[in-house]
Amino acid sequence: MQAEDMEVPIINNLNDNGDRQRPKGKDVFKDQQKESESSMESPNLEFEYGDTDTLTAELSELYSYTEEPEFALNRDYFEEDFRSHARGRRWIELTVEEQRAYVMRLLDALEVTDRDKRLKVARAILYLAQGVFDECDTEVDVLHWSRHNVFLLYDMGIFTALLELLSMEIDNSQACSSAVRKPAISLADSTELRVLLSIMYLMVETVRVRTEDDRPEWIAARETFKNELGSPLYNGEPFALLLFTMVTKFCSMNAPHFPMKKVLLLLWKTILFTLGGFEELQEMKVRGRERFNLPPLPEDSIKVVRAMRAASPPASAMELIEQQQQQKRGRRSRRPLVKQDSLDTYNERDPFKNDDARDEEEDPEDTDSGIEGEVDPLDRDVIIQPPPPPPPLRPPTERVNFPKGLPWAPKVREKDIEHFLETSRNKFIGFTLGNDTETLVGLPRPIHESVKTLKQHKYVSIAEVQIKREEELQQCPMTLGEEEVEETPAEILYLGMLPNLSQYVIALLKLLLAAAPTSKAKTDSINILADVLPEEMPITVLQSMKLGIDVNRHKEIIVKAISALLLLLLKHFKLNHIYQFEIVSQHLVFANCIPLILKFFNQNIMSYISAKNSICVLDFPHCVVHEMPELTAESLEAGDSNQFCWRNLFSCINLLRILNKLTKWKHSRTMMLVVFKSAPILKRALKVKQAMMQLYVLKLLKIQTKYLGRQWRKSNMKTMSAIYQKVRHRLNDDWAYGNDIDARPWDFQAEECALRESIEKFNSRRYDKNKNGDFTPVDNCLQSVLGQRVDLPEDFHYSYEMWLEREVFSQPIQWEGLLQNP
């Protein structure tokens, strides 16, 4: 019962003599009632999950609010230089050829050795990438000119020039050593890096996003840029690896002045651009299944999830207390209303109620004894009304979108069919036939029907085919020959990351831990606020409030970038090769990713999702085209009017998806969820009424349900019903009963070691080119050996006679030695 001890305090209103008493004062109860009603009416969140937020939101998150004065600085440096060149004309009035000539002039000026002059030129380029906002009247104009200028800058080769400057700044040992010695690092320490990274981010993000009015040359430029970023063109490695190096250097405390938020955002967008987002992944999965001659996917998972609707979450402590209060007053005429569970709309009766359990629908007293009553107070506005006529309780408009039947097609694995047949043969015949799934002799008719149904829903994943192929290559290296590896962007990235993979993973998790709202500030933890703290700390209350919002927003953006980046890497590597995914997963597990994500969710998740850590008037591009109103404490506290914060909900879903990927089909990692007491933490996350987030929470609860005990399952019937309603069915998976627990000991080390052995064999076979293996082919044909072309130095033909005399004729050859055994 540890799951519920944290959530539902049992309150008995007893005085010292043990007599029942009323709460002191009506106001207390009214306040409780108000809180309860507000949570009852928590609406469904109109959130659409995607690769990124809107372009405006993504651009605004690049800048901290403390960087706001630098917008004017960029403009001033540009206008100072541009005035001498254009003689009274504006940038938007120039022809494209004149604009190209000016950009070429800026490109030449980037070559100067003077750091200050270089910085001024870089700021002028940044102003162009920001959309020459001083010449624009609306935000739309700013975005239009930003897009135009970015494609112009790319065409003129600005990105390559910036890359060289960025490499110089990363290797600037003087800046690193002075930053290490400084007691407090501020915005001023990372000026050059921030300007360079901002231009690069604007270029990557703007080129990445497609629009309907893109010109043909822009579409061609997008493909070229995408291929360049994903190819090992920059110092023999993809651009993403340079950014990974910055992350590890920062986390090893060697470069504390690196602006980590900008680095992470640029890294995430580079991976998203070069490898592709979630929809591209779905298309790649479809093509991959065709390549392996596998049947098509039973459904498009993105469409299924978007069509889902949120379920009412389980009751919280406050609502259960109020329910008890109402029952004490005699309002217990709920008999006609307990017919249907709000989370279990598809099932008239609960499938878990067996004969020996008391029928909770028959006995209204039971609503108090369980942790969750049968009627969900959060859904009371729908249920508590006079008994409706036979049509459903939901309005007809909602019924149109209501999924018919189960949202997912059931799946069965090959080993599930083998296990089912093995059990059946043992029971009816007394012996087994190994992996034979075809022979059904001697088995009764119902077993035949069962096997037929299982085979109808059999699903073979790309990962299973890859594992089988890898086993064959390991067993028959000579007959199967060399494997042809396609040079995909994911393959190139994996090859580059492999030597330092564990360092990259640990560094990302360190940053995630430092940015998590549940983390306590420690003296030895890394300082991720180097690019948000101003040189002069705030002196007024208003400035302190503004900085507080900025710091919180800064941390939220870091969590968003890391969670999206890790999820993309896992998904792309899994599609490219299952063992590439497994090695990243294992590094994450060994670096304590599972408890870290659970720690992240062990907070008031509703507060995190509805956090108002943004000041709309200071967001780019709003702040550069509108007059700045006077900020007051009230306007800062008000925040925006949205019912949720997009980036925080996006981060939560990403982290849940990562947790699902790490634990799926891994018994020892599932047991880690149980050991870390994740059930109550995850159950609290169900309070968020968003279908996609609930789906991934329910998946995590499903895989550990059998280990939580019968009492937990009995007390959490609504959650169990929601799992049945929303999560994919595995036809012979007894997740809800826990029958095979005794047969599955928890040996974390053995499972992970076996997996690591398979990964190392894969990496050694595919990537270790310098190995002297037993199966390295040797050419022992005299004709082909002597016929091989050998590259000799140019001057060799002048001295080859001397070489023959020295190396061949003057060397005595012991021919008899060849006949003797070594």
Side-chain angles (χ1 to χ4, degrees):
M1 281 298 291
Q2 81 278 358
E4 309 309 329
D5 291 344
M6 298 166 66
E7 293 187 50
V8 185
I10 305 302
I11 295 182
N12 295 317
N13 292 321
L14 301 176
N15 60 19
D16 293 338
N17 300 322
D19 299 319
R20 185 75 59 179
Q21 63 177 9
R22 292 175 64 89
K24 291 180 184 175
K26 294 181 182 177
D27 294 339
V28 177
F29 184 69
K30 278 182 183 173
D31 290 343
Q32 290 175 345
Q33 200 167 18
K34 275 180 191 171
E35 281 177 32
S36 173
E37 282 168 5
S38 66
S39 64
M40 281 181 214
E41 292 162 9
S42 63
N44 290 342
L45 303 182
E46 297 298 322
F47 169 83
E48 188 169 330
Y49 184 80
D51 293 315
T52 60
D53 202 348
T54 60
L55 178 63
T56 314
E58 293 294 336
L59 295 182
S60 71
E61 287 179 356
L62 176 64
Y63 311 103
S64 303
Y65 295 143
T66 42
E67 289 180 272
E68 186 206 342
E70 296 189 14
F71 289 125
L73 206 57
N74 300 338
R75 180 196 61 208
D76 294 344
Y77 284 138
F78 171 82
E79 289 183 348
E80 179 188 323
D81 185 69
F82 187 67
R83 212 175 290 123
S84 62
H85 173 77
R87 306 291 176 196
R89 295 167 70 194
R90 299 196 305 167
W91 171 263
I92 59 177
E93 294 168 355
L94 300 183
T95 64
V96 175
E97 286 308 313
E98 288 172 325
Q99 289 175 345
R100 291 172 72 89
Y102 180 70
V103 172
M104 183 58 79
R105 177 181 158 171
L106 289 177
L107 191 57
D108 290 339
L110 272 181
E111 303 288 327
V112 297
T113 52
D114 190 318
R115 255 173 95 83
D116 293 336
K117 285 182 182 175
R118 264 206 323 262
L119 179 61
K120 286 184 178 181
V121 175
R123 282 199 181 280
I125 294 171
L126 177 55
Y127 178 69
L128 284 175
Q130 286 170 341
V132 288
F133 48 79
D134 206 44
E135 302 176 21
C136 301
D137 298 322
T138 64
E139 293 178 33
V140 176
D141 290 344
V142 173
L143 294 175
H144 166 78
W145 280 105
S146 171
R147 192 168 188 77
H148 170 87
N149 294 344
V150 159
F151 277 101
L152 178 67
L153 292 172
Y154 172 69
D155 192 38
M156 298 300 292
I158 288 283
F159 193 86
T160 312
L162 293 173
L163 190 69
E164 290 175 10
L165 290 176
L166 182 64
S167 301
M168 281 169 52
E169 285 297 330
I170 292 169
D171 297 333
N172 186 345
S173 55
Q174 187 181 349
C176 291
S177 58
S178 67
V180 169
R181 288 196 301 271
K182 273 194 173 183
I185 296 169
S186 70
L187 213 57
D189 296 296
S190 59
T191 307
E192 287 89 352
L193 281 166
R194 280 187 297 107
V195 171
L196 295 173
L197 290 165
S198 294
I199 304 168
M200 294 169 115
Y201 178 86
L202 288 170
M203 291 180 76
V204 169
E205 179 64 356
T206 307
V207 174
R208 182 190 71 80
V209 176
R210 297 181 180 87
T211 59
E212 292 174 2
D213 55 348
D214 275 356
R215 303 170 198 165
E217 61 268 26
W218 288 3
I219 295 168
R222 176 180 296 113
E223 284 306 308
T224 310
F225 193 26
K226 179 179 175 179
N227 293 333
E228 281 178 10
L229 287 174
S231 304
L233 297 179
Y234 305 108
N235 301 327
E237 58 187 26
F239 175 57
L241 277 177
L242 181 70
L243 299 173
F244 270 120
T245 308
M246 289 185 77
V247 172
T248 50
K249 203 170 178 183
F250 174 84
C251 287
S252 61
M253 306 286 190
N254 291 327
H257 64 298
F258 282 0
M260 220 9 69
K261 183 187 82 173
K262 285 183 167 56
V263 173
L264 290 167
L265 282 172
L266 180 54
L267 178 55
W268 164 38
K269 292 302 171 60
T270 304
I271 299 284
L272 180 60
F273 187 22
T274 54
L275 303 191
F278 300 127
E279 290 187 3
E280 285 102 320
L281 270 162
Q282 190 73 7
E283 290 166 15
M284 288 158 68
K285 197 171 183 180
V286 170
R287 289 198 301 272
R289 292 187 69 80
E290 286 172 2
R291 195 169 66 248
F292 287 118
N293 298 319
L294 294 171
L297 291 163
E299 71 275 295
D300 185 336
S301 55
I302 294 174
K303 289 178 183 172
V304 173
V305 171
R306 281 181 182 163
M308 279 186 174
R309 67 181 185 83
S312 299
S316 69
M318 190 59 240
E319 290 141 11
L320 288 171
I321 293 162
E322 194 204 351
Q323 195 175 321
Q324 290 172 8
Q325 298 279 358
Q326 288 188 347
Q327 285 181 348
K328 285 169 200 162
R329 296 194 192 99
R331 299 181 197 167
R332 297 169 62 182
S333 56
R334 294 186 185 174
R335 182 62 189 265
L337 306 172
V338 188
K339 172 123 180 176
Q340 196 172 42
D341 194 300
S342 59
L343 267 171
D344 195 12
T345 318
Y346 299 132
N347 306 307
E348 281 291 318
R349 282 184 64 79
D350 202 310
F352 291 91
K353 290 176 183 161
N354 47 24
D355 295 333
D356 60 295
R358 289 189 300 155
D359 192 346
E360 290 173 6
E361 287 180 358
E362 297 296 330
D363 184 8
E365 293 290 340
D366 258 12
T367 51
D368 278 348
S369 61
I371 295 302
E372 297 165 356
E374 283 292 312
V375 176
D376 188 353
L378 279 157
D379 219 22
R380 217 175 279 166
D381 54 334
V382 177
I383 293 182
I384 297 188
Q385 51 183 300
L393 305 177
R394 303 282 172 189
T397 50
E398 276 194 48
R399 197 184 61 213
V400 175
N401 300 323
F402 208 79
K404 299 293 179 190
L406 297 169
W408 304 99
K411 282 182 182 177
V412 179
R413 295 184 298 169
E414 178 75 25
K415 61 172 67 174
D416 294 333
I417 302 175
E418 289 171 9
H419 179 68
F420 175 74
L421 276 171
E422 186 180 354
T423 310
S424 303
R425 286 178 187 134
N426 263 329
K427 182 177 178 182
F428 292 105
I429 307 173
F431 63 87
T432 60
L433 296 175
N435 297 338
D436 185 347
T437 57
E438 301 302 321
T439 309
L440 301 177
V441 177
L443 295 173
R445 187 75 195 157
I447 299 295
H448 288 236
E449 294 294 326
S450 300
V451 172
K452 183 183 174 186
T453 307
L454 288 173
K455 284 185 175 177
Q456 276 176 355
H457 294 99
K458 181 180 165 185
Y459 176 79
V460 180
S461 67
I462 293 174
E464 289 173 82
V465 177
Q466 288 170 337
I467 289 170
K468 196 172 180 183
R469 171 71 177 161
E470 186 60 29
E471 286 172 358
E472 290 169 358
L473 284 166
Q474 295 285 357
Q475 287 169 359
C476 315
M478 296 182 76
T479 52
L480 292 175
E482 280 289 318
E483 180 193 18
E484 285 187 23
V485 181
E486 190 184 348
E487 288 286 303
T488 59
E491 182 68 30
I492 294 165
L493 181 65
Y494 177 78
L495 189 56
M497 289 177 69
L498 187 57
N500 303 309
L501 188 57
S502 63
Q503 293 175 34
Y504 299 149
V505 167
I506 290 167
L508 288 174
L509 291 184
K510 274 184 178 178
L511 291 168
L512 185 61
L513 177 65
T518 49
S519 296
K520 301 286 183 287
K522 292 178 185 170
T523 50
D524 59 338
S525 62
I526 45 180
N527 175 22
I528 54 170
L529 305 177
D531 50 333
V532 71
L533 296 176
E535 280 186 274
E536 296 176 4
M537 292 310 282
I539 47 173
T540 66
V541 174
L542 191 67
Q543 288 174 337
S544 299
M545 285 178 69
K546 182 181 158 189
L547 183 60
I549 291 171
D550 207 1
V551 165
N552 289 337
R553 174 177 176 268
H554 182 81
K555 288 181 175 181
E556 289 171 4
I557 295 166
I558 287 177
V559 172
K560 173 187 173 182
I562 294 173
S563 64
L565 171 64
L566 286 174
L567 181 61
L568 276 175
L569 287 175
L570 288 172
K571 286 186 80 67
H572 277 285
F573 286 155
K574 187 172 185 180
L575 201 54
N576 200 50
H577 199 288
I578 182 64
Y579 284 132
Q580 295 178 352
F581 161 81
E582 292 292 8
I583 190 170
V584 177
S585 299
Q586 202 166 62
H587 281 307
L588 283 166
V589 172
F590 289 166
N592 281 337
C593 183
I594 292 176
L596 170 56
I597 294 176
L598 292 174
K599 181 180 180 180
F600 180 90
F601 279 96
N602 194 18
Q603 57 170 312
N604 185 339
I605 210 72
M606 281 302 293
S607 298
Y608 185 70
I609 278 164
S610 56
K612 303 277 193 243
N613 289 316
S614 57
I615 308 167
C616 299
V617 292
L618 294 181
D619 282 339
F620 178 88
H622 184 280
C623 65
V624 291
V625 289
H626 295 93
E627 282 294 320
M628 187 65 62
E630 189 179 348
L631 289 176
T632 61
E634 288 74 25
S635 64
L636 288 183
E637 281 178 347
D640 55 23
S641 57
N642 295 333
Q643 59 178 152
F644 61 90
C645 173
W646 196 96
R647 67 172 162 264
N648 289 355
L649 191 44
F650 176 72
S651 302
C652 288
I653 292 174
N654 288 340
L655 291 170
L656 288 168
R657 294 183 77 182
I658 291 166
L659 204 49
N660 268 290
K661 291 208 165 297
L662 296 181
T663 52
K664 190 176 181 181
W665 303 122
K666 302 284 191 302
H667 174 247
S668 60
R669 296 179 193 172
T670 304
M671 289 305 296
M672 287 175 75
L673 290 178
V674 180
V675 167
F676 289 124
K677 296 191 169 97
S678 66
I681 295 170
L682 293 169
K683 219 184 108 190
R684 277 200 297 277
L686 285 174
K687 298 259 176 256
V688 181
K689 289 186 77 173
Q690 205 283 322
M692 192 171 187
M693 182 161 168
Q694 286 183 343
L695 171 69
Y696 290 110
V697 172
L698 292 169
K699 279 185 170 189
L700 288 165
L701 285 169
K702 178 185 174 180
I703 59 174
Q704 57 176 314
T705 298
K706 63 171 72 173
Y707 307 109
L708 295 175
R710 187 163 174 265
Q711 185 56 47
W712 188 91
R713 296 195 290 274
K714 188 179 172 186
S715 302
N716 290 274
M717 278 312 197
K718 273 189 195 159
T719 308
M720 304 289 276
S721 296
I723 292 170
Y724 261 108
Q725 177 186 329
K726 291 186 178 299
V727 182
R728 189 190 301 278
H729 287 248
R730 298 273 170 180
L731 290 184
N732 47 359
D733 179 15
D734 63 345
W735 62 272
Y737 300 99
N739 291 334
D740 68 341
I741 294 177
D742 296 334
R744 301 287 307 275
W746 181 30
D747 191 346
F748 176 84
Q749 211 165 3
E751 280 187 43
E752 297 295 343
C753 284
L755 181 60
R756 173 51 68 95
E757 191 180 354
S758 301
I759 293 165
E760 284 177 352
K761 281 180 181 174
F762 163 77
N763 282 332
S764 173
R765 182 191 63 74
R766 193 188 263 201
Y767 303 111
D768 190 0
K769 300 300 179 190
N770 302 320
K771 62 178 185 218
N772 296 316
D774 299 336
F775 302 111
T776 307
V778 177
D779 188 354
N780 51 15
C781 173
L782 188 65
Q783 193 172 359
S784 70
V785 170
L786 292 175
Q788 282 178 4
R789 181 176 178 80
V790 181
D791 291 326
L792 299 168
E794 288 181 10
D795 57 345
F796 183 76
H797 65 277
Y798 295 120
S799 57
Y800 78 95
E801 289 179 347
M802 289 171 60
W803 180 86
L804 275 172
E805 186 64 39
R806 188 180 70 246
E807 298 292 335
V808 180
F809 300 140
S810 64
Q811 293 289 335
I813 299 170
Q814 304 285 338
W815 296 107
E816 294 83 3
L818 295 173
L819 303 173
Q820 295 169 1
N821 288 327

PDB file of all heavy atoms in Angstrom, residues 742-754:
ATOM      1  N   ASP A 742       6.983 -15.546  -9.655  1.00  0.00           N
ATOM      2  CA  ASP A 742       7.951 -16.455  -9.035  1.00  0.00           C
ATOM      3  C   ASP A 742       8.952 -16.989 -10.046  1.00  0.00           C
ATOM      4  O   ASP A 742      10.094 -17.292  -9.709  1.00  0.00           O
ATOM      5  CB  ASP A 742       7.213 -17.623  -8.376  1.00  0.00           C
ATOM      6  CG  ASP A 742       6.317 -17.142  -7.235  1.00  0.00           C
ATOM      7  OD1 ASP A 742       6.651 -16.074  -6.675  1.00  0.00           O
ATOM      8  OD2 ASP A 742       5.317 -17.796  -6.937  1.00  0.00           O
ATOM      9  N   ALA A 743       8.523 -17.098 -11.291  1.00  0.00           N
ATOM     10  CA  ALA A 743       9.398 -17.659 -12.320  1.00  0.00           C
ATOM     11  C   ALA A 743      10.355 -16.617 -12.882  1.00  0.00           C
ATOM     12  O   ALA A 743      11.198 -16.954 -13.709  1.00  0.00           O
ATOM     13  CB  ALA A 743       8.557 -18.240 -13.448  1.00  0.00           C
ATOM     14  N   ARG A 744      10.237 -15.341 -12.479  1.00  0.00           N
ATOM     15  CA  ARG A 744      11.077 -14.288 -13.051  1.00  0.00           C
ATOM     16  C   ARG A 744      11.920 -13.623 -11.969  1.00  0.00           C
ATOM     17  O   ARG A 744      11.546 -12.591 -11.433  1.00  0.00           O
ATOM     18  CB  ARG A 744      10.203 -13.226 -13.730  1.00  0.00           C
ATOM     19  CG  ARG A 744       9.310 -13.704 -14.843  1.00  0.00           C
ATOM     20  CD  ARG A 744      10.100 -14.025 -16.110  1.00  0.00           C
ATOM     21  NE  ARG A 744      10.952 -12.946 -16.548  1.00  0.00           N
ATOM     22  CZ  ARG A 744      10.532 -11.931 -17.320  1.00  0.00           C
ATOM     23  NH1 ARG A 744       9.277 -11.863 -17.705  1.00  0.00           N
ATOM     24  NH2 ARG A 744      11.378 -11.005 -17.706  1.00  0.00           N
ATOM     25  N   PRO A 745      13.038 -14.221 -11.593  1.00  0.00           N
ATOM     26  CA  PRO A 745      13.891 -13.557 -10.593  1.00  0.00           C
ATOM     27  C   PRO A 745      14.481 -12.274 -11.182  1.00  0.00           C
ATOM     28  O   PRO A 745      14.654 -12.155 -12.388  1.00  0.00           O
ATOM     29  CB  PRO A 745      14.991 -14.594 -10.333  1.00  0.00           C
ATOM     30  CG  PRO A 745      15.035 -15.431 -11.569  1.00  0.00           C
ATOM     31  CD  PRO A 745      13.639 -15.461 -12.110  1.00  0.00           C
ATOM     32  N   TRP A 746      14.797 -11.361 -10.288  1.00  0.00           N
ATOM     33  CA  TRP A 746      15.323 -10.073 -10.731  1.00  0.00           C
ATOM     34  C   TRP A 746      16.841 -10.118 -10.688  1.00  0.00           C
ATOM     35  O   TRP A 746      17.445  -9.942  -9.641  1.00  0.00           O
ATOM     36  CB  TRP A 746      14.772  -8.959  -9.840  1.00  0.00           C
ATOM     37  CG  TRP A 746      15.260  -7.608 -10.251  1.00  0.00           C
ATOM     38  CD1 TRP A 746      15.600  -7.214 -11.509  1.00  0.00           C
ATOM     39  CD2 TRP A 746      15.495  -6.477  -9.414  1.00  0.00           C
ATOM     40  NE1 TRP A 746      16.007  -5.908 -11.519  1.00  0.00           N
ATOM     41  CE2 TRP A 746      15.949  -5.418 -10.252  1.00  0.00           C
ATOM     42  CE3 TRP A 746      15.341  -6.224  -8.058  1.00  0.00           C
ATOM     43  CZ2 TRP A 746      16.266  -4.162  -9.763  1.00  0.00           C
ATOM     44  CZ3 TRP A 746      15.653  -4.975  -7.571  1.00  0.00           C
ATOM     45  CH2 TRP A 746      16.103  -3.955  -8.410  1.00  0.00           C
ATOM     46  N   ASP A 747      17.457 -10.372 -11.834  1.00  0.00           N
ATOM     47  CA  ASP A 747      18.910 -10.376 -11.911  1.00  0.00           C
ATOM     48  C   ASP A 747      19.332  -9.283 -12.886  1.00  0.00           C
ATOM     49  O   ASP A 747      19.528  -9.521 -14.076  1.00  0.00           O
ATOM     50  CB  ASP A 747      19.409 -11.754 -12.372  1.00  0.00           C
ATOM     51  CG  ASP A 747      20.925 -11.877 -12.199  1.00  0.00           C
ATOM     52  OD1 ASP A 747      21.574 -10.827 -11.991  1.00  0.00           O
ATOM     53  OD2 ASP A 747      21.448 -13.000 -12.263  1.00  0.00           O
ATOM     54  N   PHE A 748      19.454  -8.088 -12.346  1.00  0.00           N
ATOM     55  CA  PHE A 748      19.768  -6.915 -13.174  1.00  0.00           C
ATOM     56  C   PHE A 748      21.095  -7.104 -13.901  1.00  0.00           C
ATOM     57  O   PHE A 748      21.217  -6.875 -15.088  1.00  0.00           O
ATOM     58  CB  PHE A 748      19.812  -5.672 -12.281  1.00  0.00           C
ATOM     59  CG  PHE A 748      20.213  -4.417 -12.997  1.00  0.00           C
ATOM     60  CD1 PHE A 748      19.274  -3.665 -13.681  1.00  0.00           C
ATOM     61  CD2 PHE A 748      21.530  -3.980 -12.994  1.00  0.00           C
ATOM     62  CE1 PHE A 748      19.633  -2.496 -14.348  1.00  0.00           C
ATOM     63  CE2 PHE A 748      21.897  -2.819 -13.657  1.00  0.00           C
ATOM     64  CZ  PHE A 748      20.943  -2.076 -14.329  1.00  0.00           C
ATOM     65  N   GLN A 749      22.095  -7.566 -13.152  1.00  0.00           N
ATOM     66  CA  GLN A 749      23.447  -7.631 -13.703  1.00  0.00           C
ATOM     67  C   GLN A 749      23.528  -8.619 -14.872  1.00  0.00           C
ATOM     68  O   GLN A 749      24.121  -8.322 -15.911  1.00  0.00           O
ATOM     69  CB  GLN A 749      24.420  -8.053 -12.601  1.00  0.00           C
ATOM     70  CG  GLN A 749      25.793  -7.459 -12.793  1.00  0.00           C
ATOM     71  CD  GLN A 749      26.631  -7.566 -11.537  1.00  0.00           C
ATOM     72  OE1 GLN A 749      26.203  -8.129 -10.536  1.00  0.00           O
ATOM     73  NE2 GLN A 749      27.834  -7.033 -11.571  1.00  0.00           N
ATOM     74  N   ALA A 750      22.924  -9.793 -14.706  1.00  0.00           N
ATOM     75  CA  ALA A 750      23.009 -10.825 -15.749  1.00  0.00           C
ATOM     76  C   ALA A 750      22.357 -10.344 -17.041  1.00  0.00           C
ATOM     77  O   ALA A 750      22.910 -10.518 -18.136  1.00  0.00           O
ATOM     78  CB  ALA A 750      22.345 -12.107 -15.264  1.00  0.00           C
ATOM     79  N   GLU A 751      21.176  -9.724 -16.924  1.00  0.00           N
ATOM     80  CA  GLU A 751      20.467  -9.241 -18.119  1.00  0.00           C
ATOM     81  C   GLU A 751      21.279  -8.173 -18.846  1.00  0.00           C
ATOM     82  O   GLU A 751      21.431  -8.213 -20.069  1.00  0.00           O
ATOM     83  CB  GLU A 751      19.098  -8.674 -17.732  1.00  0.00           C
ATOM     84  CG  GLU A 751      18.041  -9.735 -17.514  1.00  0.00           C
ATOM     85  CD  GLU A 751      16.663  -9.119 -17.308  1.00  0.00           C
ATOM     86  OE1 GLU A 751      16.304  -8.179 -18.033  1.00  0.00           O
ATOM     87  OE2 GLU A 751      15.941  -9.592 -16.423  1.00  0.00           O
ATOM     88  N   GLU A 752      21.785  -7.211 -18.078  1.00  0.00           N
ATOM     89  CA  GLU A 752      22.526  -6.117 -18.702  1.00  0.00           C
ATOM     90  C   GLU A 752      23.853  -6.601 -19.277  1.00  0.00           C
ATOM     91  O   GLU A 752      24.297  -6.116 -20.324  1.00  0.00           O
ATOM     92  CB  GLU A 752      22.763  -4.983 -17.693  1.00  0.00           C
ATOM     93  CG  GLU A 752      21.498  -4.317 -17.169  1.00  0.00           C
ATOM     94  CD  GLU A 752      20.700  -3.581 -18.248  1.00  0.00           C
ATOM     95  OE1 GLU A 752      21.248  -3.306 -19.331  1.00  0.00           O
ATOM     96  OE2 GLU A 752      19.522  -3.287 -18.006  1.00  0.00           O
ATOM     97  N   CYS A 753      24.501  -7.569 -18.620  1.00  0.00           N
ATOM     98  CA  CYS A 753      25.776  -8.087 -19.132  1.00  0.00           C
ATOM     99  C   CYS A 753      25.573  -8.843 -20.442  1.00  0.00           C
ATOM    100  O   CYS A 753      26.383  -8.721 -21.369  1.00  0.00           O
ATOM    101  CB  CYS A 753      26.430  -9.010 -18.101  1.00  0.00           C
ATOM    102  SG  CYS A 753      27.180  -8.123 -16.739  1.00  0.00           S
ATOM    103  N   ALA A 754      24.491  -9.634 -20.520  1.00  0.00           N
ATOM    104  CA  ALA A 754      24.198 -10.363 -21.759  1.00  0.00           C
ATOM    105  C   ALA A 754      23.936  -9.386 -22.901  1.00  0.00           C
ATOM    106  O   ALA A 754      24.401  -9.580 -24.035  1.00  0.00           O
ATOM    107  CB  ALA A 754      22.987 -11.276 -21.540  1.00  0.00           C
TER     108      ALA A 754
END
